[in-house]
Amino acid sequence: KLLGMPQTPRQILRASPEETPRDANPANVGLELFGYVGIEAVLDQMRIKTMKTGFEFNLMVVGQSGLGKSTMVNTLFKSKVSQKPTGPDYEERIPKTVQLQSVTHVIEEKGVKMKLTVTDTPGFGDQINNENCWDPIIKYINEQYEKYLREEILISRKRKIPDTRVHSCVYFVPPTGHWLRPLDLEFMRRLSKIVNVVPVIAKADTLTLEERAEFKKRIQKDLKAHGISVYPQEDFDDNSDDRILNNKIRDKIPFAVVGADKEHQVNGKRVLGRKTKWGIIEVENPAHCEFPLLRDLLIRSHLQDLKDITHNVHYESYRVQRLNESNLLVLSPINGLLGKDEVESNL
Ligand SMILES: Nc1nc2c(ncn2[C@@H]2O[C@H](COP(=O)(O)OP(=O)(O)O)[C@@H](O)[C@H]2O)c(=O)[nH]1
Ligand SMILES: [Mg+2]
């Protein structure tokens, strides 16, 4: 008896006998062997496979120092991962981020596991001269493509290549209420060519609702005027349904977010929020800020789309460029991707 045993995909696919249509339809030739199986069974197979293997998602936060990037990383995890209980005067000092740093948590929702990795980056803008402050970040993103390429190109490659590519890069815009600064424009222009950029208005609690809406419109205009294509990019809408949904999202981007890593008591419930003289700003309350929209876009509604665009567009153009770059590239089953000189010196 299989009772108590975990069901295998095949056992799930085998329908109970009373549901099985027993007619002489030639389309049902497999009936004897498999029971009733419709095309929809493919969906079950995909779902079961995903639930078993889980999936990975890699995020990065970028922006000037002090805009709340590290806090937002904590907010994201705290709003998703059950935490160890924390007292009312529980405090955790966030150290200043001095280097690129990745944190991974496994998040589970309704039996589906997700390995979420967030890469926190040191802020820039501390120097008088911010020239090339994007270099380390662009370098990191490209290094992850390079790593993937080197695995993919091997003659005997892994069945599942570890994926550290950045699927989405959240760019923090300072809440000035004016226009985008040249630095932010230049940074986003460069990033948007190699990664999915999701801009947010940082520390939105420092702006009124009217100021947020006004600033949002200005940023949208500014990005358009400078030809910067942030996520969800219009060029990649697959069909008219996509377009309708994504137009709604584009209208709301950049999300005005507030981050917090402390919990407060509100109406007998513990909520993540910031205490201000006007009361508690609850980060997970859609009436208070747009953090919930950001979270849902990234790790729920558009997760697979972000991964697909990373693979099919951003990684693909890296790959093409890299392989075109030179006929210097020679494949070696042992060494992966080598320059011709390196190969020759190895001979
Ligand atoms: N008002 C406000 N302050 C914030 C917010 N998020 C973070 N902070 C505060 O801003 C300071 C810098 O935050 P941090 O996360 O270290 O910024 P980072 O340098 O971008 O990583 C800390 O004192 C945070 O408590 C926010 O949404 N609103
Ligand atoms: Mg930081």
Side-chain angles (χ1 to χ4, degrees), residues 160-340:
K160 191 172 177 308
I161 301 172
D163 191 1
T164 56
R165 295 171 299 179
V166 178
H167 301 120
S168 179
C169 178
V170 179
Y171 189 92
F172 286 65
V173 173
T176 59
H178 306 297
W179 298 90
L180 284 175
R181 305 170 307 168
L183 176 65
D184 294 315
L185 282 168
E186 185 59 18
F187 212 133
M188 281 193 272
R189 194 181 64 77
R190 288 170 184 260
L191 280 176
S192 63
K193 290 186 177 156
I194 60 166
V195 73
N196 294 314
V197 178
V198 177
V200 297
I201 299 172
K203 298 187 171 179
D205 54 311
T206 60
L207 300 172
T208 65
L209 291 178
E210 294 74 35
E211 286 168 334
R212 291 183 203 179
E214 177 86 352
F215 192 31
K216 191 178 278 207
K217 288 281 162 262
R218 287 187 176 178
I219 293 173
Q220 288 169 356
K221 250 194 199 162
D222 239 359
L223 290 171
K224 203 162 220 166
H226 288 82
I228 299 168
S229 177
V230 297
Y231 185 83
Q233 304 90 336
E234 277 181 61
D235 292 350
F236 308 146
D237 289 342
D238 273 340
N239 51 51
S240 55
D241 285 350
D242 267 13
R243 175 141 308 205
I244 291 165
L245 171 65
N246 287 344
N247 277 340
K248 280 189 200 152
I249 295 169
R250 284 189 276 268
D251 201 46
K252 290 209 168 280
I253 277 181
F255 298 130
V257 299
V258 176
D261 52 7
K262 286 199 201 79
E263 291 190 329
H264 299 273
Q265 201 83 23
V266 174
N267 301 329
K269 269 197 271 170
R270 299 199 67 78
V271 298
L272 274 174
R274 303 194 75 82
K275 202 173 193 160
T276 70
K277 56 184 169 185
W278 302 281
I280 308 273
I281 299 185
E282 302 164 38
V283 300
E284 291 183 89
N285 184 337
H288 291 194
C289 79
E290 295 177 327
F291 168 75
L293 294 181
L294 175 69
R295 181 194 56 199
D296 290 353
L297 177 85
L298 295 177
I299 65 175
R300 293 198 181 122
S301 67
H302 282 60
L303 182 138
Q304 192 54 48
D305 189 55
L306 284 158
K307 291 183 75 166
D308 288 345
I309 293 180
T310 301
H311 186 74
N312 298 330
V313 180
H314 298 304
Y315 171 65
E316 190 59 18
S317 54
Y318 180 86
R319 197 182 70 89
V320 168
Q321 186 204 331
R322 193 74 175 81
L323 297 182
N324 266 335
E325 224 163 47
S326 51
N327 39 20
L328 293 174
L329 297 172
V330 178
L331 304 185
S332 146
I334 305 159
N335 301 309
L337 199 59
L338 291 178
K340 205 180 209 165

Side-chain angles (χ1 to χ4, degrees), residues 1 16 21 23 29 86 88 90 96 125 154-155 164 194 204 213 216 274-275 300 310:
K1 221 35 194 143
S16 56
D23 52 48
V29 282
T86 53
Y90 156 84
K96 188 164 171 166
L154 295 174
I155 288 180
T164 56
I194 60 166
K216 191 178 278 207
R274 303 194 75 82
K275 202 173 193 160
R300 293 198 181 122
T310 301

Side-chain angles (χ1 to χ4, degrees), residues 64-71 94 97 203 205-206 258-259 274:
Q64 189 179 314
S65 307
L67 288 181
K69 296 183 296 299
S70 302
T71 307
I94 297 177
T97 322
K203 298 187 171 179
D205 54 311
T206 60
V258 176
R274 303 194 75 82

Side-chain angles (χ1 to χ4, degrees), residues 72-138:
M72 188 56 71
V73 173
N74 287 351
T75 312
L76 190 64
F77 284 131
K78 288 207 174 178
S79 81
K80 291 304 302 169
V81 185
S82 60
Q83 288 293 307
K84 46 185 188 312
T86 53
D89 42 30
Y90 156 84
E91 185 152 355
E92 193 176 41
R93 280 252 136 259
I94 297 177
K96 188 164 171 166
T97 322
V98 290
Q99 57 184 24
L100 271 92
Q101 213 167 9
S102 296
V103 189
T104 300
H105 280 290
V106 174
I107 289 175
E108 198 170 336
E109 209 173 89
K110 294 190 177 142
V112 183
K113 286 200 179 75
M114 166 166 49
K115 200 174 126 203
L116 176 62
T117 301
V118 182
T119 304
D120 195 357
T121 58
F124 50 84
D126 299 340
Q127 288 77 34
I128 295 172
N129 183 0
N130 287 308
E131 211 176 309
N132 303 334
C133 58
W134 40 74
D135 279 353
I137 286 157
I138 302 235

